[in-house]
Amino acid sequence: MRAGNAIPLMTLADPSGLMLPPAFRPLRLTDASAGTAHERACALARGDDEAAGTLVVGARPGTVEVAVVLAPEEPLSVARRVGLVGLTALAEAVGSHAPPDKPVTLDAAGTLFFDRARLGGGRLGWPQACAEEAVPDWLVFSAMLIASKREAGDPGHTPGSTSLEEEGFEAGADALVESFARHLLRGLSLWAEDGPAAALARGRDYLDADPETVHLDGTGWFDPIRGGPRL
């Protein structure tokens, strides 16, 4: 499993303003009407053989949104497990910037909880025509976090969810995206060096289910009507 081909460090000083590991090429969306980062990354992957390593940052207000195009080297039945690697990287990024003494946990549907309240989650996309025993041309892991719930009004109306703002996170969206990229690269490197099982083992500290049951279709946390995490 690869993020992409390494690029020179000098290319990191790009207009996106993000400082990413050299395996990633940032693409920052500037218009929320262009769709989600997940949709944009999947479109790029379908249309560009060199899209692997592209990290798309979304523009939807009140949300931290990121998607990355990956280059699988294993059959789909194995490669899709990288979704848990991405989800673990998200949990690690949130945990590294979180106020102390509050747990970060994951469920089998790809939902991320902070202090037992829904904060966001992750999804995985791949070519729908790909057979289980075939190597997919691409994979896209994407994640969203609720940055603010101001649009929802009184927090009492949405007791099942929380936001970075409510929880007192001081890190901005870019810092969380950069942290996610670093943790994801660490997980992908472990996958390449020691195999999928070693990479997946990192998620056990966060996951409340058997890793084999994880299915990242977004049904547990993503609201297709509002195009973001359920509030």
Side-chain angles (χ1 to χ4, degrees):
M1 184 70 61
R2 295 182 293 109
N5 296 320
I7 56 177
L9 284 173
M10 68 179 67
T11 64
L12 297 182
D14 65 90
S16 76
L18 290 166
M19 296 299 294
L20 301 177
F24 300 109
R25 297 184 301 275
L27 172 62
R28 189 190 293 274
L29 304 183
T30 59
D31 185 355
S33 65
T36 66
H38 182 88
E39 293 166 341
R40 183 63 176 274
C42 288
L44 286 171
R46 286 190 290 266
D48 184 356
D49 292 340
E50 302 299 321
T54 304
L55 185 143
V56 183
V57 179
R60 306 182 73 79
T63 304
V64 177
E65 182 184 3
V66 62
V68 62
V69 182
L70 301 172
E73 298 174 332
E74 303 83 8
L76 178 60
S77 59
V78 175
R80 66 154 56 95
R81 297 179 184 177
V82 79
L84 180 55
V85 178
L87 199 60
T88 301
L90 180 67
E92 290 171 334
V94 169
S96 67
H97 290 283
D101 302 324
K102 291 187 177 182
V104 179
T105 54
L106 306 168
D107 71 9
T111 311
L112 184 146
F113 298 89
F114 184 76
D115 197 22
R116 295 174 291 279
R118 188 174 56 255
L119 182 60
R123 290 191 286 168
L124 191 68
W126 61 84
Q128 290 303 302
C130 184
E132 286 289 306
E133 65 277 8
V135 177
D137 291 334
W138 52 268
L139 291 172
V140 166
F141 175 80
S142 67
M144 287 183 172
L145 298 172
I146 304 170
S148 172
K149 289 171 57 177
R150 296 183 186 185
E151 66 174 277
D154 190 326
H157 296 155
T158 54
S161 64
T162 188
S163 70
L164 301 173
E165 184 178 61
E166 285 180 53
E167 299 294 345
F169 278 73
E170 296 182 359
D174 283 3
L176 284 164
V177 169
E178 291 168 351
S179 180
F180 162 76
R182 291 192 297 270
H183 287 289
L184 177 60
L185 185 59
R186 209 168 290 141
L188 294 176
S189 297
L190 187 60
W191 178 299
E193 294 168 6
D194 298 328
L200 297 175
R202 299 171 70 216
R204 294 185 184 277
D205 290 341
Y206 299 97
L207 191 63
D208 67 356
D210 184 337
E212 297 296 331
T213 67
V214 173
H215 56 284
L216 301 189
D217 58 6
T219 54
W221 63 270
F222 183 73
D223 181 351
I225 296 177
R226 65 182 299 271
R230 289 194 293 117
L231 298 180

PDB file of all heavy atoms in Angstrom, residues 109-131:
ATOM      1  N   ALA A 109     -18.398   0.998  12.262  1.00  0.00           N
ATOM      2  CA  ALA A 109     -18.966   1.737  11.140  1.00  0.00           C
ATOM      3  C   ALA A 109     -18.106   2.929  10.729  1.00  0.00           C
ATOM      4  O   ALA A 109     -18.508   3.704   9.861  1.00  0.00           O
ATOM      5  CB  ALA A 109     -20.375   2.208  11.482  1.00  0.00           C
ATOM      6  N   GLY A 110     -16.952   3.082  11.380  1.00  0.00           N
ATOM      7  CA  GLY A 110     -16.058   4.172  11.011  1.00  0.00           C
ATOM      8  C   GLY A 110     -16.334   5.480  11.716  1.00  0.00           C
ATOM      9  O   GLY A 110     -15.821   6.529  11.309  1.00  0.00           O
ATOM     10  N   THR A 111     -17.121   5.451  12.779  1.00  0.00           N
ATOM     11  CA  THR A 111     -17.429   6.662  13.531  1.00  0.00           C
ATOM     12  C   THR A 111     -16.339   6.934  14.558  1.00  0.00           C
ATOM     13  O   THR A 111     -15.855   6.004  15.218  1.00  0.00           O
ATOM     14  CB  THR A 111     -18.771   6.526  14.272  1.00  0.00           C
ATOM     15  OG1 THR A 111     -19.755   6.042  13.362  1.00  0.00           O
ATOM     16  CG2 THR A 111     -19.216   7.856  14.855  1.00  0.00           C
ATOM     17  N   LEU A 112     -15.957   8.187  14.696  1.00  0.00           N
ATOM     18  CA  LEU A 112     -15.009   8.599  15.729  1.00  0.00           C
ATOM     19  C   LEU A 112     -15.774   9.338  16.824  1.00  0.00           C
ATOM     20  O   LEU A 112     -16.529  10.277  16.540  1.00  0.00           O
ATOM     21  CB  LEU A 112     -13.921   9.499  15.149  1.00  0.00           C
ATOM     22  CG  LEU A 112     -12.806   9.914  16.131  1.00  0.00           C
ATOM     23  CD1 LEU A 112     -11.468  10.031  15.387  1.00  0.00           C
ATOM     24  CD2 LEU A 112     -13.118  11.249  16.818  1.00  0.00           C
ATOM     25  N   PHE A 113     -15.581   8.880  18.068  1.00  0.00           N
ATOM     26  CA  PHE A 113     -16.229   9.491  19.224  1.00  0.00           C
ATOM     27  C   PHE A 113     -15.175  10.169  20.094  1.00  0.00           C
ATOM     28  O   PHE A 113     -14.082   9.625  20.307  1.00  0.00           O
ATOM     29  CB  PHE A 113     -16.947   8.437  20.068  1.00  0.00           C
ATOM     30  CG  PHE A 113     -18.042   7.713  19.345  1.00  0.00           C
ATOM     31  CD1 PHE A 113     -17.778   6.554  18.622  1.00  0.00           C
ATOM     32  CD2 PHE A 113     -19.342   8.186  19.380  1.00  0.00           C
ATOM     33  CE1 PHE A 113     -18.786   5.879  17.953  1.00  0.00           C
ATOM     34  CE2 PHE A 113     -20.366   7.522  18.725  1.00  0.00           C
ATOM     35  CZ  PHE A 113     -20.079   6.363  18.008  1.00  0.00           C
ATOM     36  N   PHE A 114     -15.518  11.342  20.597  1.00  0.00           N
ATOM     37  CA  PHE A 114     -14.665  12.017  21.560  1.00  0.00           C
ATOM     38  C   PHE A 114     -15.454  12.163  22.854  1.00  0.00           C
ATOM     39  O   PHE A 114     -16.523  12.780  22.866  1.00  0.00           O
ATOM     40  CB  PHE A 114     -14.245  13.407  21.047  1.00  0.00           C
ATOM     41  CG  PHE A 114     -13.295  14.108  21.966  1.00  0.00           C
ATOM     42  CD1 PHE A 114     -11.965  13.735  22.025  1.00  0.00           C
ATOM     43  CD2 PHE A 114     -13.741  15.133  22.795  1.00  0.00           C
ATOM     44  CE1 PHE A 114     -11.088  14.368  22.885  1.00  0.00           C
ATOM     45  CE2 PHE A 114     -12.882  15.776  23.657  1.00  0.00           C
ATOM     46  CZ  PHE A 114     -11.543  15.387  23.705  1.00  0.00           C
ATOM     47  N   ASP A 115     -14.932  11.567  23.906  1.00  0.00           N
ATOM     48  CA  ASP A 115     -15.615  11.556  25.196  1.00  0.00           C
ATOM     49  C   ASP A 115     -17.049  11.045  25.035  1.00  0.00           C
ATOM     50  O   ASP A 115     -17.992  11.613  25.564  1.00  0.00           O
ATOM     51  CB  ASP A 115     -15.596  12.956  25.821  1.00  0.00           C
ATOM     52  CG  ASP A 115     -15.906  12.937  27.306  1.00  0.00           C
ATOM     53  OD1 ASP A 115     -15.719  11.868  27.934  1.00  0.00           O
ATOM     54  OD2 ASP A 115     -16.332  13.984  27.838  1.00  0.00           O
ATOM     55  N   ARG A 116     -17.183   9.977  24.227  1.00  0.00           N
ATOM     56  CA  ARG A 116     -18.436   9.244  24.001  1.00  0.00           C
ATOM     57  C   ARG A 116     -19.458  10.004  23.153  1.00  0.00           C
ATOM     58  O   ARG A 116     -20.601   9.571  23.025  1.00  0.00           O
ATOM     59  CB  ARG A 116     -19.071   8.804  25.336  1.00  0.00           C
ATOM     60  CG  ARG A 116     -18.209   7.789  26.076  1.00  0.00           C
ATOM     61  CD  ARG A 116     -18.767   7.473  27.445  1.00  0.00           C
ATOM     62  NE  ARG A 116     -18.657   8.620  28.347  1.00  0.00           N
ATOM     63  CZ  ARG A 116     -17.540   8.943  28.985  1.00  0.00           C
ATOM     64  NH1 ARG A 116     -16.451   8.209  28.836  1.00  0.00           N
ATOM     65  NH2 ARG A 116     -17.491   9.991  29.780  1.00  0.00           N
ATOM     66  N   ALA A 117     -19.082  11.128  22.572  1.00  0.00           N
ATOM     67  CA  ALA A 117     -19.972  11.861  21.667  1.00  0.00           C
ATOM     68  C   ALA A 117     -19.403  11.809  20.248  1.00  0.00           C
ATOM     69  O   ALA A 117     -18.196  11.871  20.048  1.00  0.00           O
ATOM     70  CB  ALA A 117     -20.127  13.309  22.128  1.00  0.00           C
ATOM     71  N   ARG A 118     -20.270  11.712  19.269  1.00  0.00           N
ATOM     72  CA  ARG A 118     -19.849  11.593  17.873  1.00  0.00           C
ATOM     73  C   ARG A 118     -19.174  12.880  17.396  1.00  0.00           C
ATOM     74  O   ARG A 118     -19.747  13.966  17.447  1.00  0.00           O
ATOM     75  CB  ARG A 118     -21.066  11.291  17.000  1.00  0.00           C
ATOM     76  CG  ARG A 118     -20.769  10.954  15.562  1.00  0.00           C
ATOM     77  CD  ARG A 118     -22.032  10.524  14.819  1.00  0.00           C
ATOM     78  NE  ARG A 118     -23.080  11.547  14.889  1.00  0.00           N
ATOM     79  CZ  ARG A 118     -24.155  11.469  15.655  1.00  0.00           C
ATOM     80  NH1 ARG A 118     -24.347  10.409  16.426  1.00  0.00           N
ATOM     81  NH2 ARG A 118     -25.048  12.430  15.666  1.00  0.00           N
ATOM     82  N   LEU A 119     -17.948  12.744  16.906  1.00  0.00           N
ATOM     83  CA  LEU A 119     -17.188  13.903  16.423  1.00  0.00           C
ATOM     84  C   LEU A 119     -16.967  13.851  14.913  1.00  0.00           C
ATOM     85  O   LEU A 119     -16.692  14.872  14.294  1.00  0.00           O
ATOM     86  CB  LEU A 119     -15.838  13.975  17.152  1.00  0.00           C
ATOM     87  CG  LEU A 119     -14.920  15.145  16.819  1.00  0.00           C
ATOM     88  CD1 LEU A 119     -15.584  16.495  17.138  1.00  0.00           C
ATOM     89  CD2 LEU A 119     -13.595  15.020  17.561  1.00  0.00           C
ATOM     90  N   GLY A 120     -17.100  12.692  14.319  1.00  0.00           N
ATOM     91  CA  GLY A 120     -16.875  12.565  12.881  1.00  0.00           C
ATOM     92  C   GLY A 120     -16.649  11.114  12.518  1.00  0.00           C
ATOM     93  O   GLY A 120     -17.187  10.209  13.155  1.00  0.00           O
ATOM     94  N   GLY A 121     -15.844  10.890  11.481  1.00  0.00           N
ATOM     95  CA  GLY A 121     -15.577   9.518  11.070  1.00  0.00           C
ATOM     96  C   GLY A 121     -14.830   9.444   9.765  1.00  0.00           C
ATOM     97  O   GLY A 121     -14.386  10.456   9.219  1.00  0.00           O
ATOM     98  N   GLY A 122     -14.686   8.219   9.262  1.00  0.00           N
ATOM     99  CA  GLY A 122     -13.947   7.984   8.029  1.00  0.00           C
ATOM    100  C   GLY A 122     -14.721   7.123   7.058  1.00  0.00           C
ATOM    101  O   GLY A 122     -15.602   6.343   7.446  1.00  0.00           O
ATOM    102  N   ARG A 123     -14.400   7.275   5.769  1.00  0.00           N
ATOM    103  CA  ARG A 123     -15.017   6.481   4.705  1.00  0.00           C
ATOM    104  C   ARG A 123     -13.927   5.955   3.779  1.00  0.00           C
ATOM    105  O   ARG A 123     -12.831   6.499   3.721  1.00  0.00           O
ATOM    106  CB  ARG A 123     -15.987   7.332   3.873  1.00  0.00           C
ATOM    107  CG  ARG A 123     -17.242   7.730   4.583  1.00  0.00           C
ATOM    108  CD  ARG A 123     -18.233   8.328   3.591  1.00  0.00           C
ATOM    109  NE  ARG A 123     -17.850   9.673   3.167  1.00  0.00           N
ATOM    110  CZ  ARG A 123     -18.409  10.315   2.138  1.00  0.00           C
ATOM    111  NH1 ARG A 123     -19.328   9.716   1.401  1.00  0.00           N
ATOM    112  NH2 ARG A 123     -18.028  11.540   1.834  1.00  0.00           N
ATOM    113  N   LEU A 124     -14.251   4.916   3.030  1.00  0.00           N
ATOM    114  CA  LEU A 124     -13.323   4.347   2.063  1.00  0.00           C
ATOM    115  C   LEU A 124     -14.042   4.172   0.738  1.00  0.00           C
ATOM    116  O   LEU A 124     -15.169   3.668   0.691  1.00  0.00           O
ATOM    117  CB  LEU A 124     -12.799   3.000   2.557  1.00  0.00           C
ATOM    118  CG  LEU A 124     -11.619   2.413   1.784  1.00  0.00           C
ATOM    119  CD1 LEU A 124     -10.363   3.250   1.999  1.00  0.00           C
ATOM    120  CD2 LEU A 124     -11.360   0.968   2.219  1.00  0.00           C
ATOM    121  N   GLY A 125     -13.375   4.590  -0.334  1.00  0.00           N
ATOM    122  CA  GLY A 125     -13.927   4.421  -1.672  1.00  0.00           C
ATOM    123  C   GLY A 125     -12.971   3.646  -2.554  1.00  0.00           C
ATOM    124  O   GLY A 125     -11.755   3.678  -2.356  1.00  0.00           O
ATOM    125  N   TRP A 126     -13.522   2.915  -3.553  1.00  0.00           N
ATOM    126  CA  TRP A 126     -12.717   2.158  -4.510  1.00  0.00           C
ATOM    127  C   TRP A 126     -13.558   1.950  -5.770  1.00  0.00           C
ATOM    128  O   TRP A 126     -14.772   2.190  -5.762  1.00  0.00           O
ATOM    129  CB  TRP A 126     -12.299   0.812  -3.917  1.00  0.00           C
ATOM    130  CG  TRP A 126     -13.419  -0.107  -3.550  1.00  0.00           C
ATOM    131  CD1 TRP A 126     -14.088  -0.981  -4.381  1.00  0.00           C
ATOM    132  CD2 TRP A 126     -14.035  -0.238  -2.257  1.00  0.00           C
ATOM    133  NE1 TRP A 126     -15.065  -1.647  -3.676  1.00  0.00           N
ATOM    134  CE2 TRP A 126     -15.046  -1.218  -2.372  1.00  0.00           C
ATOM    135  CE3 TRP A 126     -13.812   0.369  -1.011  1.00  0.00           C
ATOM    136  CZ2 TRP A 126     -15.849  -1.588  -1.303  1.00  0.00           C
ATOM    137  CZ3 TRP A 126     -14.604   0.000   0.051  1.00  0.00           C
ATOM    138  CH2 TRP A 126     -15.605  -0.966  -0.088  1.00  0.00           C
ATOM    139  N   PRO A 127     -12.944   1.517  -6.870  1.00  0.00           N
ATOM    140  CA  PRO A 127     -13.712   1.276  -8.105  1.00  0.00           C
ATOM    141  C   PRO A 127     -14.773   0.211  -7.871  1.00  0.00           C
ATOM    142  O   PRO A 127     -14.464  -0.911  -7.481  1.00  0.00           O
ATOM    143  CB  PRO A 127     -12.648   0.797  -9.103  1.00  0.00           C
ATOM    144  CG  PRO A 127     -11.344   1.288  -8.556  1.00  0.00           C
ATOM    145  CD  PRO A 127     -11.496   1.274  -7.066  1.00  0.00           C
ATOM    146  N   GLN A 128     -16.009   0.551  -8.113  1.00  0.00           N
ATOM    147  CA  GLN A 128     -17.103  -0.349  -7.774  1.00  0.00           C
ATOM    148  C   GLN A 128     -17.101  -1.642  -8.582  1.00  0.00           C
ATOM    149  O   GLN A 128     -17.641  -2.658  -8.151  1.00  0.00           O
ATOM    150  CB  GLN A 128     -18.446   0.370  -7.943  1.00  0.00           C
ATOM    151  CG  GLN A 128     -18.676   1.444  -6.896  1.00  0.00           C
ATOM    152  CD  GLN A 128     -18.590   0.885  -5.474  1.00  0.00           C
ATOM    153  OE1 GLN A 128     -19.324  -0.026  -5.113  1.00  0.00           O
ATOM    154  NE2 GLN A 128     -17.688   1.431  -4.669  1.00  0.00           N
ATOM    155  N   ALA A 129     -16.475  -1.632  -9.760  1.00  0.00           N
ATOM    156  CA  ALA A 129     -16.444  -2.830 -10.591  1.00  0.00           C
ATOM    157  C   ALA A 129     -15.320  -3.790 -10.211  1.00  0.00           C
ATOM    158  O   ALA A 129     -15.212  -4.876 -10.773  1.00  0.00           O
ATOM    159  CB  ALA A 129     -16.286  -2.446 -12.065  1.00  0.00           C
ATOM    160  N   CYS A 130     -14.508  -3.409  -9.238  1.00  0.00           N
ATOM    161  CA  CYS A 130     -13.359  -4.227  -8.860  1.00  0.00           C
ATOM    162  C   CYS A 130     -13.806  -5.470  -8.093  1.00  0.00           C
ATOM    163  O   CYS A 130     -14.552  -5.378  -7.117  1.00  0.00           O
ATOM    164  CB  CYS A 130     -12.395  -3.410  -8.004  1.00  0.00           C
ATOM    165  SG  CYS A 130     -10.879  -4.295  -7.565  1.00  0.00           S
ATOM    166  N   ALA A 131     -13.329  -6.631  -8.517  1.00  0.00           N
ATOM    167  CA  ALA A 131     -13.635  -7.880  -7.828  1.00  0.00           C
ATOM    168  C   ALA A 131     -12.777  -8.009  -6.578  1.00  0.00           C
ATOM    169  O   ALA A 131     -11.708  -7.404  -6.466  1.00  0.00           O
ATOM    170  CB  ALA A 131     -13.378  -9.061  -8.762  1.00  0.00           C
TER     171      ALA A 131
END
